[in-house]
């Protein structure tokens, strides 16, 4: 049986606008980020989108976002949904990262994660959610841009990657998970807010 997973990115943060590398380190939502979450909340209300359960990265920016989106629900915080660990580059200006064509393992020598480690962590977390919560069919997870994008790329064809690339604040990726084979597939990217 196919399970539905919707992974949404948090709202804009202070480090986003400062151009700082933000993975396991954290910064608060900006006023704009709070407004983005409030706008996104209308999308879920207008489309009557509900879920069997709600989960969030343990990072403050993700928890604050899910609480703004769904103020009346209970959700579970999971470390496995955190952003990529960027090691020694955490919190530093992004211009310190050299422009290299393949960043899949760049952060590993600096104490960070590879793309493979990141996607495996996220997938294992999603599989475990369904294994530990029998009966869930459709869930929402508030997570992070690089994490969602990397997970999508790890299970997609070149054509899908081209079509689904780029996760803005409050964009949401729809995945399906085969309960038997544990195969994960990226289905569609959903914009929950439309900015000028």
């Amino acid at each position: 049986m196919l399970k539905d997973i919707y992974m949404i990115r948090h709202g804009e943060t202070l480090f986003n606008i400062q151009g700082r590398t933000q993975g396991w380190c954290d910064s608060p939502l900006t006023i704009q980020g709070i407004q983005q979450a409030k706008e996104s909340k209308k999308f879920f209300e207008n489309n009557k989108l509900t879920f069997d359960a709600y989960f969030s990265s343990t990072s403050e920016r993700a928890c604050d976002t899910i609480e703004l989106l769904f103020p009346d629900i209970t959700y579970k915080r999971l470390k496995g949904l955190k952003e990529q660990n960027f090691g020694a580059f955490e919190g530093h200006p992004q211009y310190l990262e050299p422009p290299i064509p393949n960043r899949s393992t760049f952060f590993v020598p600096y104490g960070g994660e590879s793309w493979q480690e990141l996607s495996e962590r996220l997938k294992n977390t999603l599989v475990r959610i369904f294994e530990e919560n029998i009966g869930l069919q459709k869930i929402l997870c508030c997570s992070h841009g690089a994490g969602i994008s990397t997970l999508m790329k790890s299970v997609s064809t070149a054509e899908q990657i081209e079509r689904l690339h780029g996760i803005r604040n409050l964009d949401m990726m729809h995945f399906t998970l085969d309960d038997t084979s544990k195969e994960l597939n990226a289905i569609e990217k959903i914009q929950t807010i439309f900015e000028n």
Side-chain angles (χ1 to χ4, degrees), residues 41-110:
K41 182 176 185 285
K42 295 175 188 174
F43 171 87
F44 290 95
E45 292 170 345
N46 292 340
N47 290 283
K48 297 181 171 39
L49 262 179
T50 58
F51 304 89
D52 299 327
Y54 301 79
F55 301 88
S56 176
S57 155
T58 53
S59 297
E60 175 188 348
R61 59 193 187 269
C63 294
D64 286 352
T65 298
I66 200 169
E67 289 171 13
L68 287 163
L69 288 172
F70 307 102
D72 300 320
I73 58 95
T74 300
Y75 68 96
K76 187 169 184 179
R77 301 175 187 202
L78 298 173
K79 289 182 180 179
L81 294 175
K82 287 177 74 168
E83 178 62 290
Q84 182 176 0
N85 181 350
F86 296 110
F89 287 88
E90 290 280 351
H92 292 288
Q94 290 173 330
Y95 63 73
L96 295 177
E97 300 169 25
I100 55 173
N102 184 355
R103 297 166 59 87
S104 64
T105 60
F106 173 77
F107 296 100
V108 174
Y110 304 98

Side-chain angles (χ1 to χ4, degrees), residues 83-86 97 100-108 112-123 145-155 161 165:
E83 178 62 290
Q84 182 176 0
N85 181 350
F86 296 110
E97 300 169 25
I100 55 173
N102 184 355
R103 297 166 59 87
S104 64
T105 60
F106 173 77
F107 296 100
V108 174
E113 288 179 294
S114 69
W115 287 354
Q116 182 176 349
E117 290 169 328
L118 172 61
S119 59
E120 286 178 1
R121 169 168 58 82
L122 288 167
K123 182 180 178 184
I148 297 169
S149 181
T150 301
L151 181 62
M152 177 275 290
K153 290 174 184 174
S154 74
V155 299
I161 291 171
H165 183 70

